[in-house]
Amino acid sequence: MASHRKLRAAAVVCAVAVAAGPAPVAAWAATPTAAPAAPSATAGADAAARSVTAPSPDPFSGLSADEIGDKAVTATQSATSLRMTGRVVTEGQPLDIDFAVNDRDECTGVMKIKGGTAELRRTGDVTYMKGDETFWRASMSSQGMPEAQIDATIELLKGRWLKIGEGQAGSADLSGVCDLKGLLDDLGKDEEERRGLTRGPDAEVDDTPVATLVKKKDGGETTTVSVSQEGKPYILKMVKAGGDEPGSLVLSDYDKPVRVVVPPADETVDLSKLDQGTPA
């Protein structure tokens, strides 16, 4: 029995890591100033940019699209916090996300995959995750976990948060979802890949005027990035159309506080307890 319980605990953590997938910005960092397209099921992420007249004077006057892209990456990497809302594709599955994350490795948000929904919170090197039955069942089934163990595990987790502490299996993978510095560092890793941008029509994202940067690749894949023309040149929206991983991501709430609420102890299941087969 003990080995079965350990298998169950390991499968749950593995399932969570797979469901969380690569962090959205990192997943799109192959085109650092760009990202995916496809309507987001998360509030606010599916608002299309509207064409507008550029601010006068144009804050990017005299700069090439590539130079604007460089400024956008530098500014975005300086952020102390932000919110990511939208849809990405990970492991071939659409993943809807709405996360706020800061530079202290704290985050709070919601993800939806395979018809299931899960909340994730991280603070003080501890990750909490609460999923509905559809989420847990789909995630654990994808790991080949036997149905009987899935049923027993879901019963233990019903209405509770899974608590994964520092050093426990899977904690390192999950912490990466809330690693703002790591996510944003990936934006500028491949500078050469970022070259070849063109500037499209100016537009708006959530009533903020933006410069539009476009990169087209062979095979019909087009990446569009919206850069704020007000204040710091933060990236406000990234869209990828065509290709294998279309999607859309809106970045907002730059440098605003991220408040993470720790679930009450009586509503959590420690991973070590799950390993032992007890609910609390």
Side-chain angles (χ1 to χ4, degrees):
M1 280 294 292
S3 61
H4 289 169
R5 289 166 182 163
K6 289 181 180 179
L7 173 63
R8 175 172 62 196
V12 169
V13 174
C14 188
V16 171
V18 169
V25 175
W28 296 340
T31 44
T33 18
S40 166
T42 318
D46 56 356
R50 300 184 300 275
S51 294
V52 295
T53 302
S56 183
D58 179 358
F60 303 126
S61 177
L63 297 180
S64 69
D66 287 347
E67 289 170 333
I68 297 172
D70 289 340
K71 290 177 70 70
V73 168
T74 299
T76 302
Q77 288 179 329
S78 74
T80 59
S81 65
L82 57 81
R83 180 182 177 187
M84 300 179 289
T85 312
R87 170 172 289 184
V88 298
V89 176
T90 177
E91 302 290 329
Q93 291 288 336
L95 174 67
D96 293 311
I97 58 119
D98 187 346
F99 274 94
V101 57
N102 66 22
D103 58 1
R104 297 191 301 278
D105 296 339
E106 295 178 322
C107 71
T108 181
V110 177
M111 66 178 73
K112 298 181 180 180
I113 190 170
K114 297 181 179 179
T117 301
E119 296 178 67
L120 186 146
R121 300 175 186 175
R122 180 174 174 82
T123 184
D125 296 323
V126 178
T127 302
Y128 300 89
M129 195 162 202
K130 183 179 183 180
D132 59 20
E133 180 175 346
T134 300
F135 174 85
W136 287 123
R137 191 170 297 280
S139 299
M140 289 184 280
S141 294
S142 69
Q143 300 305 305
M145 193 172 177
E147 282 298 320
Q149 290 183 23
I150 292 176
D151 292 341
T153 303
I154 288 175
E155 188 61 31
L156 287 176
L157 294 173
K158 187 178 295 182
R160 296 184 174 92
W161 294 81
L162 179 63
K163 178 182 178 182
I164 305 173
E166 184 178 18
Q168 290 184 309
S171 62
D173 292 331
L174 288 171
S175 66
V177 178
C178 303
D179 179 6
L180 178 63
K181 185 178 186 302
L183 302 184
L184 298 181
D185 280 351
D186 282 339
L187 280 174
K189 277 187 175 178
D190 192 346
E191 186 175 337
E192 192 59 37
E193 180 68 25
R194 202 164 66 235
R195 298 301 171 229
L197 298 170
T198 59
R199 185 167 177 178
D202 290 330
E204 280 187 356
V205 173
D206 293 336
D207 298 323
T208 299
V210 295
T212 302
L213 307 179
V214 180
K215 179 162 185 176
K216 295 184 178 181
K217 287 188 172 183
D218 294 339
E221 180 180 300
T222 300
T223 302
T224 305
V225 181
S226 300
V227 180
S228 177
Q229 292 179 307
E230 292 183 351
K232 291 186 177 181
Y234 287 135
I235 297 172
L236 300 186
K237 188 172 184 178
M238 305 187 291
V239 175
K240 185 185 288 181
D244 296 330
E245 298 184 345
S248 179
L249 189 69
V250 170
L251 304 181
S252 62
D253 293 351
Y254 278 95
D255 304 318
K256 292 184 178 180
V258 174
R259 181 171 177 265
V260 181
V261 178
V262 176
D266 61 357
E267 295 180 13
T268 67
V269 177
D270 192 279
L271 181 62
S272 61
K273 299 296 184 180
L274 184 65
D275 182 54
Q276 297 166 19
T278 55

